[in-house]
């Protein structure tokens, strides 16, 4: 019976380490978008999603206790997906030619 508890303890520690490393990976990916997010033409909801996901991750009060990083990972992944899609859409819109302006005729 003691070996079962030892095995479960080792599995729990390994899972906790994996969750922490994955959460850190997501934080780094989100922080790398800092320069893009803080441009003046970035929509406010994108900036809010960026900051709220980072603040939730470092805030000491969570939905689940801190050794369990599942909620942090979900918030970070959601923020990263939203910010990435929003910045991608903004980039596509910036590179799209203005349809209201007629092409120049030579």
């Amino acid at each position: 019976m003691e070996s079962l508890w030892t095995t479960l303890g080792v599995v729990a520690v390994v899972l906790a380490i994996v969750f922490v490393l994955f959460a850190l990976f997501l934080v780094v990916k989100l922080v790398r978008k800092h320069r893009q997010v803080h441009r003046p033409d970035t929509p406010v909801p994108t900036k809010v999603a960026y900051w709220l996901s980072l603040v939730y991750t470092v805030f000491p009060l969570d939905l689940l206790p801190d050794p369990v990083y599942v909620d942090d990972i979900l918030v970070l992944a959601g923020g990263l997906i939203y910010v990435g899609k929003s910045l991608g859409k903004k980039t596509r819109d910036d590179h799209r030619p203005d349809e209201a302006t007629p092409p120049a005729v030579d």
Side-chain angles (χ1 to χ4, degrees), residues 15-31 53-54 57-58 66-77 80:
L15 280 175
I17 291 171
V18 168
F19 283 149
V20 168
L21 291 176
F22 190 60
L24 286 174
F25 170 75
L26 291 174
V27 166
V28 168
K29 287 196 64 85
L30 193 61
V31 168
S53 58
L54 287 177
T57 302
V58 298
D66 258 351
V68 181
Y69 284 99
V70 175
D71 60 331
D72 296 311
I73 289 172
L74 291 175
V75 169
L76 284 170
L80 188 62

Side-chain angles (χ1 to χ4, degrees), residues 8-94:
L8 288 177
V10 169
V11 168
V13 168
V14 169
L15 280 175
I17 291 171
V18 168
F19 283 149
V20 168
L21 291 176
F22 190 60
L24 286 174
F25 170 75
L26 291 174
V27 166
V28 168
K29 287 196 64 85
L30 193 61
V31 168
R32 286 188 177 170
K33 295 189 179 291
H34 181 81
R35 202 174 280 163
Q36 292 174 306
V37 168
H38 287 88
R39 287 182 166 150
D41 58 339
T42 301
V44 172
T46 304
K47 293 178 181 186
V48 170
Y50 173 83
W51 281 110
L52 283 180
S53 58
L54 287 177
V55 167
Y56 181 83
T57 302
V58 298
F59 198 66
L61 298 176
D62 286 345
L63 292 175
L64 297 173
D66 258 351
V68 181
Y69 284 99
V70 175
D71 60 331
D72 296 311
I73 289 172
L74 291 175
V75 169
L76 284 170
L80 188 62
I81 289 168
Y82 179 79
V83 168
K85 284 186 177 184
S86 177
L87 292 175
K89 182 177 182 278
K90 186 177 78 68
T91 303
R92 284 191 306 275
D93 291 346
D94 289 347

